[in-house]
Amino acid sequence: MSYDIQQIHDLRFRRFLSRTEIADRIVAIGKEVSADYQGKQPVIISILNGSFIFAADLLRTLTIDPFITFVKLSSYQGIQTTGLVSTVLGLDCSLKNKDVILLEDILDTGKTLYEFAHQLQQEHQPASLKIATLFYKPDAVQYPIQADYIGFSIPNIFVVGYGLDYNGFGRSLPDLYVLAEE
Ligand code: IMP
Ligand code: MG
């Protein structure tokens, strides 16, 4: 599917970033990560559901061979954050003395990453912890959390595609779409 306008449920979205722009940026992030972790085997934790496409694309640009695992966290319903972060699927490996990179699709209020990163630091004592997010909404952030690798800073508008959903749909769109003004 590749139309300029997409209807999902009751809302209309327009194309905002193309798959090529996203792919180019991911290659650049992959170079940075590979250089920073040269000679190391970091544990990459991809935060489901949204980051699975970013994870799949980023991992295949790396020249290092990381350990990869997944957690499933949830905070959104529709286009609103509920303000509560729940762990739907937890960690299945030890992070003690490991270099950890959290992969997130989008940093919005920052609540998900803030809560999860703090929980990891306290319960697992990793050697280091960095955050990579593909999209970042600087005007939405409400928690003191900073990403070490950022794909794109975007306006504070709801987006779908490239892994991100609106009530479960839109994730498979290869490009990124933004909520259209009516
Ligand atoms: P935060 O905890 O408010 O930073 O929100 C993080 C999570 O909310 C992300 O991992 C996404 O799953 C979801 N989210 C935030 N903004 C958007 C958006 O614009 N579109 C789709 N999902 C979003
Ligand atoms: Mg997410």
Side-chain angles (χ1 to χ4, degrees):
M1 286 200 291
S2 62
Y3 301 101
D4 284 338
I5 297 286
Q6 290 285 341
Q7 177 87 28
I8 304 174
H9 302 301
D10 55 327
L11 298 178
R12 276 157 61 84
F13 294 84
R14 67 176 166 80
R15 193 180 353 239
F16 184 65
L17 286 173
S18 72
R19 64 200 79 182
T20 322
E21 290 169 290
I22 296 171
D24 289 350
R25 188 68 195 113
I26 288 177
V27 167
I29 297 174
K31 280 192 182 139
E32 262 188 81
V33 171
S34 299
D36 293 350
Y37 291 86
Q38 187 82 50
K40 295 185 173 171
Q41 271 197 316
V43 176
I44 295 188
I45 305 177
S46 162
I47 302 178
L48 298 172
N49 289 328
S51 75
F52 76 109
I53 293 181
F54 175 40
D57 284 348
L58 178 70
L59 288 167
R60 288 175 296 165
T61 71
L62 299 180
T63 56
I64 53 166
D65 187 17
F67 185 88
I68 169 89
T69 191
F70 298 86
V71 294
K72 183 166 177 175
L73 309 176
S74 184
S75 67
Y76 253 71
Q77 261 172 14
I79 62 169
Q80 292 291 324
T81 179
T82 62
L84 297 168
V85 178
S86 58
T87 304
V88 186
L89 185 76
L91 259 188
D92 61 354
C93 61
S94 165
L95 302 177
K96 199 160 174 65
N97 301 324
K98 303 278 189 190
D99 295 304
V100 175
I101 308 171
L102 295 180
L103 282 197
E104 180 58 302
D105 51 357
I106 188 162
L107 207 167
D108 184 55
T109 66
K111 174 145 181 116
T112 308
L113 279 171
Y114 179 78
E115 303 258 327
F116 188 62
H118 275 254
Q119 188 189 323
L120 280 192
Q121 294 277 23
Q122 289 186 343
E123 291 176 14
H124 293 268
Q125 290 111 30
S128 67
L129 180 63
K130 283 196 182 184
I131 291 171
T133 187
L134 183 55
F135 304 113
Y136 169 51
K137 294 183 188 166
D139 299 334
V141 174
Q142 295 173 19
Y143 290 79
I145 185 94
Q146 279 194 328
D148 302 278
Y149 307 98
I150 294 174
F152 299 88
S153 290
I154 62 170
N156 188 9
I157 311 174
F158 193 76
V159 288
V160 294
Y162 201 84
L164 291 126
D165 72 307
Y166 167 43
N167 270 346
F169 289 90
R171 288 196 202 279
S172 60
L173 295 168
D175 305 309
L176 188 76
Y177 289 77
V178 68
L179 192 59
E181 307 280 324
E182 287 307 319

